[in-house]
Amino acid sequence: MSVFRPNWQALMSLLASLYSLTALPFTESMSAASSLTVVAILLAGALVSMLQLSFAVQTAVLTLSSFGAAALLIAGLTDAFGTATAGYFAALIAAWLLGWRLVTVLSGDGSRGSEGRGSTLIVPALFGIWVVILWECIVRGAGVPFVLLPPPSAIGLRITTSTSILAADFKQTVLKAVLFGYVVGSLTGFLVAILADRFRFLASGLLPIGNMVSALPMIGIAPIMVIWFGFDWQSKAAVVIVMTFFPMLVNTLAGLTATSEMERDLMRTYGATHWQVLLKLRLQAAMPFIFNALKINSTLALIGAIVAEFFGTPIVGMGFRISTEVGRMNLDMVWAEIAMAAIVGSLFYGALALLERAVTFWHPSYRR
Amino acid sequence: MTERSFIHDRLVPVGSILLLMLVIWYFAAYSMNAPFQRDFDRRAGETRSNIEFLMKTMSQPKPTMPAPHQVAENLWKNTFTVKPWSKRSLVYHSWVTLSATLSGFAMGTALGVAIAIGIVHIPALDRSFLPWIIASQTIPILAIAPMIIVLLSAIGITGLLPKALISTYLSFFPVAVGMVKGLRSPDVLHLDLMRTYSASKMQTLWKLRIPASVPFFFTSMKVAIAASLIGAIVGELPTGAVAGIGSKLLAGSYYSQTVDIFAALIAGSIVAILLVTAVDVVGRFVNTRMGAKAQ
């Protein structure tokens, strides 16, 4: 009995693959033999994974069976748009359950001390891969109209075939509007915070206003900026400047008060001037707060620039492309732009996180 | 003592900064409207005294930069002199946006809490899903908003729900992330105590984790409701919606009605302030009733 260790994902997977036998073959272009191969792989994977096996063997079996079955299922959709039977989806669910079992095995059982042996990157990556697999199979298998949701493969194809358009949009929106606005907005926010810190009156006046502004729908200023600065990237940069200014101001001001009375007293006993204390003690202590603002602003800047383009723009730019291609039902282009925005946003954020780690290595949150 | 410090520390500085901003606004209105006015006068062949010229820059029908009193007048006219349910009333438009915001916010909060409870209890979900939630904060979600609206209208869903869904999408992230933090905030000691009582997971959740997460809950709800409002406004942009603050902004930008844009913006800001304040007040009340120190 101890050799056999059942778990609900594998049991459900077993049931689902047995059910899938009722509707063979899975798609019009998939032969009964290859459909049976998928079921065989799934059944074998589910059964073997319930045996008492070493971690490595279990991981290998689950990986091979879930992804092997998924690969065959995707391949079975060639020239068979929208012809998948109920059995196809049952097999898909079975493969997905084995994938879930793999994630569970990799993450450990959650009890204290067993943090799981899967790397912190693999588990989320598996989740992402499964989202894409399910998206692809369901959209193509069930024949979801292209204008509703294009499959990831079509989006990928569109990205590779229209790199020049994507590059132009990237240049217009990110390199011109976002970058300029982000740098200027964050910098002015920072400088005003330094100034407000020197003159307390300014700080006590600006801080409540800044806190309030952070809750306001600042994106609404986009049409005004378009009227003032024209259709080109300058108006988008202006929106980004306004949106990024206050988070930086509020966070820097909060960060500058982060030092303790003791540390400031010590600086006073050294006879340090205001600027020395600022430069050598308080700015350094404020770095986590400043990076927090930089991270918030990186998201705000991209959103601000894209949404501002909905209000009027030259015929280039990510927001422009999204709004026009939606109107022309070219959904794959829209998704290509969204994918690019997601990648740019994540890279931006990731770069900031790395920089933060390098600058604020002394902070308790990074201590090991 | 406290009253004096409130006047001295808050009212005077905030008041003078606001006053300064008003002065700058008037100055900007003059300097941005002056070129157009000068051009206009030259073509009409009119010569004006300085005072008259100044007054003219403050009362253009389509100014580059409306003067504060023009905006205030527009706001007054469209709020108090028209029936609140007429299409011209800002109350009506604010209500349209507010209803989408609130329904989206309610759904987003429920979804966020559900995800957080799942993440805290299922380790696989924690390891695989939480990183994606955090990563998705870095992508411009609003970029998808127009597509969601168009897609849903293609399958026949229009009106309130698509906007509410965008609000949901924007507001569930802060709630989920904040709640995960909150549900994990009880001490290990307290969790161990629950274990010695042999409490079930359900009991631990209701009697320890959820009470401990309340302050986190309200903090993230304040962020979430502001995000909901932005989602609702942006959701009104793409389909040329006929009602709501977003549609007012869009119509204003089509016809260069700067006064209307400013009035709509201020109406939106008032809604935002009211919403955040409401969440704050409820949060303080609940926290005090639960025995937290009054602030």
Side-chain angles (χ1 to χ4, degrees):
Chain A
M1 197 60 214
S2 65
V3 195
F4 195 63
R5 202 175 52 171
N7 57 75
W8 72 267
Q9 288 104 337
L11 283 173
M12 293 290 287
S13 172
L14 210 59
L15 284 178
S17 27
L18 286 176
Y19 173 77
S20 72
L21 285 173
T22 59
L24 287 170
F26 289 160
T27 66
E28 263 176 16
S29 67
M30 207 171 174
S31 66
S34 65
S35 305
L36 275 177
T37 320
V38 174
V39 179
I41 292 175
L42 288 170
L43 287 175
L47 285 172
V48 173
S49 73
M50 278 193 286
L51 298 177
Q52 189 86 45
L53 291 168
S54 77
F55 176 77
V57 177
Q58 204 165 23
T59 319
V61 166
L62 284 168
T63 311
L64 283 177
S65 57
S66 62
F67 284 110
L72 285 176
L73 285 172
I74 291 178
L77 280 173
T78 325
D79 304 323
F81 188 78
T83 58
T85 61
Y88 181 87
F89 291 110
L92 185 65
I93 288 172
W96 171 61
L97 282 166
L98 289 183
W100 188 343
R101 180 68 201 156
L102 176 64
V103 168
T104 311
V105 169
L106 284 174
S107 351
D109 58 0
S111 61
R112 218 170 297 160
S114 91
E115 281 297 291
R117 283 164 282 187
S119 142
T120 43
L121 274 177
I122 290 176
V123 175
L126 282 176
F127 184 87
I129 291 169
W130 270 107
V131 169
V132 173
I133 292 176
L134 290 175
W135 178 356
E136 177 84 28
C137 290
I138 291 173
V139 167
R140 280 173 61 198
V144 175
F146 191 80
V147 292
L148 280 188
L149 190 64
S153 52
I155 298 165
L157 191 69
R158 174 61 80 163
I159 292 177
T160 51
T161 52
S162 50
T163 39
S164 60
I165 296 178
L166 288 172
D169 292 344
F170 176 79
K171 197 174 149 215
Q172 170 77 14
T173 304
V174 178
L175 293 187
K176 288 182 181 165
V178 171
L179 223 52
F180 181 80
Y182 180 77
V183 170
V184 173
S186 301
L187 208 62
T188 39
F190 179 75
L191 292 179
V192 171
I194 298 284
L195 212 67
D197 177 64
R198 184 74 186 88
F199 306 103
R200 290 312 298 177
F201 184 78
L202 200 58
S204 43
L206 275 178
L207 202 55
I209 296 175
N211 277 325
M212 197 190 76
V213 167
S214 65
L216 300 185
M218 289 304 275
I219 252 165
I221 62 161
I224 300 165
M225 294 297 160
V226 170
I227 291 172
W228 286 359
F229 296 106
F231 285 109
D232 212 350
W233 63 270
Q234 288 88 347
S235 56
K236 282 79 203 173
V239 174
V240 175
I241 290 174
V242 176
M243 283 178 78
T244 52
F245 174 79
F246 283 103
M248 187 49 125
L249 174 71
V250 171
N251 274 285
T252 310
L253 272 177
L256 287 174
T257 59
T259 46
S260 70
E261 194 63 45
M262 282 279 239
E263 290 158 333
R264 269 171 284 162
D265 264 351
L266 182 66
M267 290 304 270
R268 209 167 302 134
T269 62
Y270 292 160
T273 64
H274 171 81
W275 298 109
Q276 280 175 326
V277 180
L278 186 70
L279 213 63
K280 304 205 160 148
L281 171 68
R282 297 175 56 217
L283 263 185
Q284 322 239 353
M287 275 304 157
F289 292 81
I290 292 172
F291 271 103
N292 187 29
L294 285 176
K295 282 177 174 171
I296 295 172
N297 282 349
S298 70
T299 327
L300 283 180
L302 210 50
I303 289 178
I306 290 179
V307 174
E309 285 180 1
F310 297 161
F311 285 98
T313 165
I315 52 161
V316 66
M318 291 159 77
F320 165 78
R321 197 76 57 203
I322 289 173
S323 54
T324 49
E325 300 293 330
V326 161
R328 293 162 59 190
M329 293 289 169
N330 283 338
L331 267 291
D332 52 348
M333 192 65 214
V334 176
W335 279 99
E337 291 285 348
I338 290 170
M340 182 164 78
I343 292 168
V344 168
S346 306
L347 286 181
F348 203 173
Y349 194 89
L352 282 172
L354 285 180
L355 194 65
E356 179 182 28
R357 193 168 281 226
V359 173
T360 62
F361 59 91
W362 46 267
H363 196 260
S365 57
Y366 293 121
R367 237 175 253 153
R368 285 170 192 263
Chain B
M1 182 62 204
T2 48
E3 202 167 320
R4 194 195 163 275
S5 76
F6 174 76
I7 291 176
H8 190 257
D9 294 339
R10 297 296 290 273
L11 214 58
V12 174
V14 175
S16 29
I17 298 277
L18 285 176
L19 202 67
L20 183 71
M21 284 163 81
L22 201 68
V23 171
I24 293 175
W25 187 350
Y26 265 116
F27 183 73
Y30 170 73
S31 51
M32 291 174 78
N33 294 337
F36 173 79
Q37 191 63 36
R38 218 168 273 138
D39 199 40
F40 183 80
D41 286 354
R42 195 170 44 77
R43 260 185 251 168
E46 279 188 66
T47 43
R48 297 181 192 279
S49 69
N50 285 342
I51 295 292
E52 210 187 8
F53 183 76
L54 178 71
M55 296 312 280
K56 275 286 174 192
T57 58
M58 294 295 156
S59 54
Q60 291 174 355
K62 283 186 180 183
T64 316
M65 174 83 172
H69 65 263
Q70 284 179 297
V71 178
E73 195 189 305
N74 185 298
L75 210 56
W76 177 268
K77 196 181 79 198
N78 288 333
T79 310
F80 296 106
T81 61
V82 288
K83 290 192 187 80
W85 53 88
S86 95
K87 294 262 191 247
R88 287 180 56 210
S89 168
L90 276 173
V91 178
Y92 167 75
H93 290 287
S94 302
W95 167 249
V96 170
T97 304
L98 185 70
S99 56
T101 306
L102 286 180
S103 40
F105 173 67
M107 292 192 282
T109 308
L111 187 65
V113 171
I115 288 177
I117 290 177
I119 282 176
V120 168
H121 286 104
I122 305 172
L125 215 54
D126 173 27
R127 304 270 319 253
S128 62
F129 195 44
L130 193 58
W132 285 99
I133 288 199
I134 294 167
S136 71
Q137 291 258 353
T138 69
I139 49 175
I141 293 152
L142 282 182
I144 313 179
M147 206 182 52
I148 297 174
I149 301 274
V150 172
L151 289 190
L152 289 178
S153 71
I155 53 174
I157 301 174
T158 50
L160 183 78
L161 193 62
K163 289 189 277 173
L165 282 178
I166 291 165
S167 290
T168 308
Y169 204 63
L170 278 175
S171 58
F172 95 90
F173 285 114
V175 173
V177 173
M179 275 304 274
V180 167
K181 224 176 205 172
L183 292 173
R184 289 203 174 130
S185 64
D187 282 359
V188 178
L189 268 178
H190 292 159
L191 287 171
D192 274 346
L193 183 65
M194 291 304 274
R195 205 165 302 136
T196 62
Y197 292 160
S198 81
S200 68
K201 271 193 172 177
M202 217 39 204
Q203 284 170 322
T204 315
L205 179 69
W206 275 113
K207 304 200 164 164
L208 177 62
R209 286 187 191 270
I210 289 202
S213 72
V214 167
F216 292 84
F217 181 58
F218 280 103
T219 315
S220 26
M221 281 221 298
K222 268 201 276 182
V223 180
I225 200 152
S228 291
L229 181 66
I230 294 173
I233 291 178
V234 173
E236 284 162 355
L237 298 181
T239 45
V242 284
I245 306 255
S247 76
K248 283 292 265 189
L249 289 175
L250 202 60
S253 94
Y254 279 154
Y255 305 114
S256 298
Q257 294 282 9
T258 31
V259 185
D260 277 356
I261 299 179
F262 267 86
L265 253 177
I266 288 179
S269 306
I270 292 171
V271 172
I273 293 167
L274 289 179
L275 287 175
V276 175
T277 313
V279 172
D280 194 37
V281 166
V282 174
R284 272 167 203 239
F285 175 74
V286 172
N287 274 333
T288 321
R289 287 300 296 272
M290 287 181 61
K293 243 184 277 174
Q295 284 166 355

